[in-house]
Amino acid sequence: MHLDPTAYLRIEAQQSLGTSASGASFATSTGDIVEIASFGPGVFRVRMGPRTLPDYGIVVGRAKACSTENEGDAWRFSSGDATLEIESAPLRFRLFWKGEPIFGSITDQHFRGFARLPTFGRLRQGGLWTAGFALRSGEPVYGLGEKFGPLDKRGQLIHSQVEDALGVNTGLSYKNTPFAWSPGKGKGAWGVFVHTPGMVTHGVGHPDWSHRTYAVLVEDEALDLFLFAGDTPAEIVDHYTQLTGRAPAVPRWSLGLWISRAYYRTPQEAAEVAAKLRERRIPADVITLDGRASWNVDTRFDFAWDPDRFPDPRAALAAIKAHDLRICVWEYPYVSVHSPLFNELASQRFLLTTADGDPYVFGWDIAPASTPFDDVLTPLSESGIVDFTNPAAYAWWRDAHRALFDDGVDVIKSDFGEQVPDDAVAFNGDTGRRLHNVYPLLYNRCIYEATEQLGRKEDSPPIVWSRAAWSGSQRYPIGWGGDPQSDWEGLAASLRGGLSWGMSGNPYHSSDIGGFYGSEQPSAELYVRWLQAAIFGSHVRVHGMGEREPWAFGAEAEAVAKKWLAFRYRLIPYLERAIEQATRAGLPIMRAMPLAFPGNALLRQFETQFMCGDALLVAPIVQAGGEVEVALPPGAWFDLNTRRRFPGRQLLRYKAKLEQFPVFGREGMALPLGHAVQHTGQIDAAAPLEMLWVFGKPATPLDGFTQARIEVDGEGSFIVRAGAGVGVEVLGEAAEVRIEPL
């Protein structure tokens, strides 16, 4: 992609328009107003351009007071340990953390002295803005959503644009956010968020533009940037999720196994799978009726069950739920032209329209050379697109779910949401091109609210199982990772996508265990390794084109899968503690090495290795043969397979039998484990713990459990208190630890 700097007007601030408690504003050489505001310690906003178009509630934070100083052309805005310095001629900035500069405007100069790319600029003709930020040598950059390539975006050209990626093999992705950060170069971490529903192109040290510059192109009426400063990347993620909204808690049952395939052809087939799960003692909590499993092929999703297969939907779902399983059903936000609902919604202008006001009819790719459809994924009909910018349409679609929940549905798989054409027109006046990225936010918010208001049958949080997302979508969990290819590279890319999504402020993620599609079904070894890795994610689902239930891969694979699924259910008390952290500070359950250990450059190269919460290091096996290189972080680590202690700061060549998987406990921490159960309904909420594994001498306390507690004081006294029925195992030498009754 070519970037022509001469096509942009370079913006200079010419005159102060006054200050406020939270910042100041300036007139510019282009007639735009530049506004500077603090949004709390370590968070500043730099905005220029008009305010005529919808903002869609992406940002939920509010401006806050800061101190302001002015000397000549320089202005300084300070809040907490962060200071933003603005120079007006030419307009540029520097961000300071604890007095040290950590981030600032482009420093790459042309021979004649001016910046090679605009520091801040806008296209002479059209709504496109640019900004350039300086990068230091060796400074990595992370985030930008669910991207399946290298976690470090340095050197890449990234498009923040929601797309039906049809896999995990390209730069296209379903879940995007124009939020990036760096651990910096030892003086503090920085982050930048482009607040827009429009497409953003990121040249992150892209060599065709400038290897020393992070440049953004923003397609919107205004350029609206948030700049973050903090000690660590975790603080940057904290700032971002305070600004765009925290992820809420999820129900306990959602942490169990989700069983699915594309697709169960009849409700009887799904009920047989449910019975078989229980007969074979495979723990599970949710079964999904995917795609065309529930709906007529021509009319697809219009809230009406296929009458031929579901003459009595309540009885059909009850037969499945009798096996202590929840029901998830598929939907998308489109209405087939063959459905009676199409004309009904079009007549009320509940669908996106053409420029002439007619309902916009979207046609899917059915060309033989490129269509994704086949015998399993049959072609989708031409469809209208629900207009969630229309409050009446939004409310209608939300409330129409009542009958599904009354029939016994527990959760909605809100698929798709990526297909808003550029030339569509929304009720609120926006174009389809500007609505495109934020459409999944509106769609999933609607389904989340439907579940919250109509589908909650107990006092537990709502949840949706969604695919597409934009900034702020973490408020409506969760997202699964698209449609990976059923091979080892599909597994590796899915892991990178989930970790990148977690570094972008979204704590929950799942992938299709075994992969979704491929010329061959996954091997037993691939299936098991994928499942073992997924055990340590926030959510776990088997899904794909063809059977994905454990028994489909042979007796050995089934036995190993049962072992690790049992461990997954035992992990739930620990996972719930990690989720509590996520709701407070935005930290993901799966923490990539640059987020968990930002000061260690070696660890950054291990892009499929991750921390599950604070205490567990997971090194997924992503190739056949059972071998993986494990980079142990500083400290010491206990192999959960052998209980052996390994000093940190070393590289292990780990060889694991199929029933083994490389997971290490962090010395100084503890792992609370529950009972092995067949579904989460068997967990005793008052007494969930069965065992406490203590990894060496405790360095941090453990509380929040009625059955176990670890007390640590500054004098080297460590006491593990355990209630009746809770076993304690202390790994390694830890003579200072005393075990006493609670």
Side-chain angles (χ1 to χ4, degrees):
M1 179 177 181
H2 179 64
L3 175 59
D4 179 9
T6 66
Y8 291 83
L9 297 170
R10 296 173 185 255
I11 297 174
E12 296 186 5
Q14 295 181 321
Q15 178 184 353
S16 169
L17 297 178
T19 62
S20 67
S22 59
S25 57
F26 304 87
T28 71
S29 55
T30 58
D32 299 294
I33 304 298
V34 173
E35 301 168 88
I36 311 296
S38 167
F39 273 63
V43 184
F44 295 97
R45 184 182 201 174
V46 179
R47 191 186 190 284
M48 54 197 78
R51 294 176 179 267
T52 64
L53 298 177
D55 68 6
Y56 294 104
I58 296 170
V59 165
V60 298
R62 296 290 181 265
K64 297 178 182 175
C66 69
S67 64
T68 303
E69 302 175 49
N70 170 230
E71 184 176 342
D73 289 337
W75 291 75
R76 295 173 67 87
F77 306 90
S78 298
S79 179
D81 289 325
T83 297
L84 179 66
E85 181 179 89
I86 298 290
E87 294 180 11
S88 56
L91 180 61
R92 54 189 298 108
F93 79 91
R94 286 198 300 170
L95 182 63
F96 293 80
W97 178 249
K98 296 181 178 178
E100 296 287 343
I102 59 170
F103 190 47
S105 292
I106 180 174
T107 57
D108 182 1
Q109 294 183 353
H110 187 275
F111 262 44
R112 289 164 50 196
F114 53 80
R116 186 180 301 274
L117 303 176
T119 304
F120 295 103
R122 64 174 171 85
L123 203 63
R124 296 176 186 274
Q125 301 292 330
L128 194 66
W129 296 77
T130 185
F133 317 119
L135 293 175
R136 291 166 287 186
S137 292
E139 192 168 38
V141 178
Y142 299 99
L144 298 181
E146 179 197 43
K147 296 298 183 180
F148 305 109
L151 297 184
D152 183 359
K153 305 306 187 291
R154 185 73 180 257
Q156 298 185 47
L157 187 67
I158 300 287
H159 300 291
S160 291
Q161 180 80 346
V162 171
E163 299 285 358
D164 185 349
L166 298 176
V168 297
N169 300 336
T170 72
L172 302 180
S173 61
Y174 313 86
K175 291 179 275 297
N176 290 261
T177 177
F179 161 59
W181 56 262
S182 174
K185 296 289 286 185
K187 298 179 180 179
W190 59 261
V192 59
F193 168 54
V194 185
H195 175 216
T196 178
M199 178 174 172
V200 183
T201 299
H202 310 257
V204 191
H206 179 53
D208 288 353
W209 294 2
S210 169
H211 66 76
R212 58 185 287 174
T213 302
Y214 174 9
V216 295
L217 300 182
V218 184
E219 189 177 305
D220 207 351
E221 65 168 354
L223 178 65
D224 193 359
L225 303 175
F226 284 87
L227 308 173
F228 307 109
D231 279 323
T232 65
E235 288 186 27
I236 304 302
V237 173
D238 185 4
H239 290 330
Y240 170 75
T241 54
Q242 284 189 64
L243 183 73
T244 59
R246 303 287 199 201
V250 293
R252 174 175 288 168
W253 57 260
S254 76
L255 304 179
L257 176 65
W258 297 54
I259 291 281
S260 181
R261 70 167 82 147
Y263 54 97
Y264 298 118
R265 296 179 181 273
T266 65
Q268 292 77 22
E269 184 179 29
E272 290 168 3
V273 167
K276 200 169 184 178
L277 288 168
R278 297 304 178 219
E279 290 168 7
R280 302 176 85 99
R281 304 290 294 169
I282 297 172
D285 266 83
V286 185
I287 194 164
T288 299
L289 303 178
D290 193 67
R292 57 182 285 190
S294 306
W295 322 117
N296 178 276
V297 174
D298 291 328
T299 56
R300 294 291 171 162
F301 183 76
D302 59 1
F303 300 97
W305 300 92
D306 181 350
D308 293 333
R309 290 177 293 162
F310 288 83
D312 187 346
R314 294 193 181 191
L317 299 192
I320 300 171
K321 294 168 74 77
H323 299 284
D324 296 303
L325 290 168
R326 313 269 174 161
I327 301 288
C328 175
V329 297
W330 176 96
E331 75 166 70
Y332 64 1
Y334 314 118
V335 181
S336 167
V337 295
H338 302 301
S339 168
L341 199 57
F342 178 85
N343 288 331
E344 178 185 342
L345 298 188
S347 67
Q348 300 180 74
R349 203 181 163 185
F350 284 4
L351 305 176
L352 296 179
T353 69
T354 66
D356 296 329
D358 298 322
Y360 197 108
V361 176
F362 180 83
W364 305 84
D365 179 8
I366 57 173
S370 57
T371 182
F373 302 120
D374 59 12
D375 292 339
V376 177
L377 303 178
T378 50
L380 300 169
S381 300
E382 291 185 325
S383 301
I385 304 171
V386 179
D387 187 350
F388 292 108
T389 75
N390 182 337
Y394 183 101
W396 187 95
W397 193 264
R398 178 196 64 212
D399 296 346
H401 287 81
R402 182 183 299 277
L404 296 182
F405 290 123
D406 288 347
D407 285 341
V409 171
D410 297 284
V411 58
I412 300 294
K413 176 180 176 179
S414 48
D415 204 352
F416 288 87
E418 304 95 349
Q419 291 80 13
V420 176
D422 289 354
D423 55 344
V425 178
F427 177 85
N428 68 355
D430 234 342
T431 64
R433 187 168 182 84
R434 191 169 185 273
L435 177 65
H436 178 98
N437 282 331
V438 80
Y439 187 85
L441 177 69
L442 307 182
Y443 166 38
N444 286 304
R445 182 178 73 191
C446 180
I447 309 307
Y448 187 88
E449 290 180 358
T451 309
E452 182 177 42
Q453 296 174 22
L454 308 171
R456 295 173 68 187
K457 300 178 176 64
E458 57 193 51
D459 186 21
S460 67
I463 191 174
V464 296
W465 190 270
S466 64
R467 185 173 77 176
W470 188 247
S471 310
S473 288
Q474 68 272 9
R475 305 195 299 255
Y476 314 110
I478 72 159
W480 99 90
D483 303 316
Q485 189 171 325
S486 298
D487 61 12
W488 292 100
E489 287 304 315
L491 167 57
S494 294
L495 286 165
R496 291 192 299 267
L499 294 173
S500 185
W501 189 230
M503 289 194 286
S504 304
N506 297 269
Y508 307 117
H509 189 266
S510 177
S511 70
D512 292 346
I513 292 172
F516 180 72
Y517 74 97
S519 58
E520 297 179 355
Q521 287 296 300
S523 68
E525 181 185 11
L526 172 63
Y527 177 82
V528 166
R529 295 308 190 196
W530 207 315
L531 183 142
Q532 288 167 332
I535 292 301
F536 300 94
S538 74
H539 290 78
V540 54
R541 177 178 77 154
V542 298
H543 181 62
M545 294 172 61
E547 290 183 282
R548 290 295 185 270
E549 297 81 11
W551 55 78
F553 298 91
E556 182 185 15
E558 181 181 357
V560 175
K562 287 170 64 174
K563 168 188 170 180
W564 284 97
L565 287 168
F567 189 71
R568 167 69 183 197
Y569 277 77
R570 298 191 70 200
L571 272 179
I572 285 177
Y574 173 72
L575 293 170
E576 289 181 329
R577 288 178 64 84
I579 287 170
E580 196 274 331
Q581 280 186 307
T583 61
R584 283 189 292 107
L587 278 175
I589 309 308
M590 296 169 59
R591 300 171 193 171
M593 294 294 97
L595 180 61
F597 302 97
N600 192 306
L602 171 65
L603 291 173
R604 297 175 196 159
Q605 310 308 312
F606 289 77
E607 297 200 320
T608 57
Q609 181 175 300
F610 62 91
M611 292 291 295
C612 171
D614 290 329
L616 296 179
L617 175 71
V618 183
I621 295 171
V622 294
Q623 63 183 11
E627 289 191 8
V628 64
E629 284 189 337
V630 184
L632 293 180
W637 301 85
F638 290 87
D639 181 356
L640 266 59
N641 290 300
T642 65
R643 306 295 200 269
R644 180 181 170 188
R645 180 184 184 274
F646 289 91
R649 300 184 185 275
Q650 66 167 309
L651 192 64
L652 298 181
R653 187 70 182 177
Y654 198 99
K655 175 77 172 179
K657 297 177 181 178
L658 190 63
E659 71 272 11
Q660 297 176 324
F661 190 69
V663 184
F664 297 82
R666 189 176 194 170
E667 187 170 64
M669 307 205 75
L671 179 66
L673 293 171
H675 298 266
V677 295
Q678 287 297 293
H679 57 86
T680 55
Q682 293 178 341
I683 296 174
D684 184 347
L689 297 188
E690 181 187 36
M691 176 67 68
L692 189 66
W693 286 354
V694 182
F695 303 122
K697 184 173 66 174
T700 57
L702 179 77
D703 52 25
F705 293 103
T706 58
Q707 297 172 273
R709 186 168 69 246
I710 295 178
E711 300 172 2
V712 180
D713 65 30
E715 302 301 321
S717 174
F718 307 92
I719 304 173
V720 179
R721 301 188 188 277
V726 178
V728 177
E729 182 178 350
V730 180
L731 282 67
E733 297 180 5
E736 301 92 337
V737 178
R738 302 197 312 274
I739 301 174
E740 298 180 359
L742 185 63

